[in-house]
Each structure stands twice: as structure tokens, then as C-alpha cells.
Amino acid sequence: MPETATPEVFGGQPCIRLRPDADNHLLVALHGGHVLSWVANGAEQLYLSPRSLMDGRSPIRGGVPVCFPQFNERGPLPKHGFARNLPWVAGGATQNSNGAVQLALTLHSSPATLALWPHAFRLQLTLTLAPGSLALDVSVDNTGNAPLSFM
């Protein structure tokens, strides 16, 4: 990872901090691919509940969660799906010529997810942090042979 993306621990959980400059940074937990903090031009933009357990099993409260493959209780899965309760894998971070730092986190189907939802998938969250701005892009790839839907 470039110097602008560093691993750290927050609340006992492994995280990555993106920092394109001194006044802008983002903290994302590998548990759930959850954005915990976004500081733009020196000011925090997100709320993170002090009631978050940060135990690596429970969902994190506040910040920006990834809800997949369902939102709320709109299906048979646990509330907001399972993606926010699983460990994600970070790819390499890059910094472009404009100073923006980009990091992709990935979650793949596994025996645990297939036991809850019988679909093979690859879920990717791409975070792009530049001075004063944050972009989040979520993509889902069907890696199986059957159609899948999510809500």
C-alpha cells in the first residue's frame, strides 16, 4: 500500500486508514467493509455509535455499512444481510495524479455464505478519497451458474 494507506487497529479490529493529505482521511474496518470515519477538510462527516461492540462478529453501528444481499428484513436473511458481519480482504491502494487515494475491499462467497444464501458471488467495495470528497462504489459479480437477485 502507498504511504497514504496504512493498516491500523481500531476498537480491536483491523482497519485501513486512507490519507491523501493532513486534513482528509478515512478509516475502514475489514470487518464488514465498514467505513468508520471520514474526515473532510479537518471535520468528521460520519457518526459512529459508542455502543458498537467492535467484537468482529456483531454489526458495527453508524458509519457507512454494506448491506448485502438484502436490506433490513426484506427477505429471509439476517437483518441487512451477512456482508456487514464478515471479514473482507483489502487489495492494494493506489494514488492518482490528482492526489486521490483508492482502495478496493472484496468479499467472496464461502461455505458460510452459501449456507445462508445459495449463490456464488464476488462483492467489491471501492473507496476513493480525495481532499473534501469521498466516493463509494459497490459492484456484485455473479460467479455461479444460476441467476441471483438481491434487495
Side-chain angles (χ1 to χ4, degrees), residues 10 34 36 46-54 59-63:
F10 178 82
H34 199 115
L36 303 174
L46 303 176
Y47 172 77
L48 183 64
S49 174
R51 294 175 46 189
S52 289
L53 295 179
M54 303 298 286
I60 297 168
R61 300 170 59 123

Side-chain angles (χ1 to χ4, degrees), residues 110-130:
S110 67
T113 65
L114 291 169
L116 292 171
W117 191 61
H119 300 288
F121 68 91
R122 176 181 170 270
L123 182 60
Q124 182 169 305
L125 170 64
T126 303
L127 307 160
T128 305
L129 180 66

Side-chain angles (χ1 to χ4, degrees), residues 66-71 77-78 80-83 117 119 121 123 148-151:
V66 177
C67 299
F68 179 85
Q70 78 180 34
F71 181 73
L77 299 173
H80 298 311
F82 50 72
W117 191 61
H119 300 288
F121 68 91
L123 182 60
L148 64 84
S149 65
F150 50 93
M151 48 188 131

Side-chain angles (χ1 to χ4, degrees), residues 27-102:
L27 185 65
V28 60
L30 295 181
H31 175 72
H34 199 115
V35 176
L36 303 174
S37 171
W38 169 37
V39 173
N41 301 318
E44 178 63 60
Q45 304 298 306
L46 303 176
Y47 172 77
L48 183 64
S49 174
R51 294 175 46 189
S52 289
L53 295 179
M54 303 298 286
D55 62 4
R57 294 183 315 273
S58 305
I60 297 168
R61 300 170 59 123
V64 181
V66 177
C67 299
F68 179 85
Q70 78 180 34
F71 181 73
N72 202 334
E73 295 172 334
R74 294 183 180 175
L77 299 173
K79 186 175 182 180
H80 298 311
F82 50 72
R84 68 188 191 136
N85 293 323
L86 295 173
W88 291 52
V89 176
T94 59
Q95 187 166 23
N96 68 23
S97 60
N98 296 331
V101 179
Q102 189 170 75

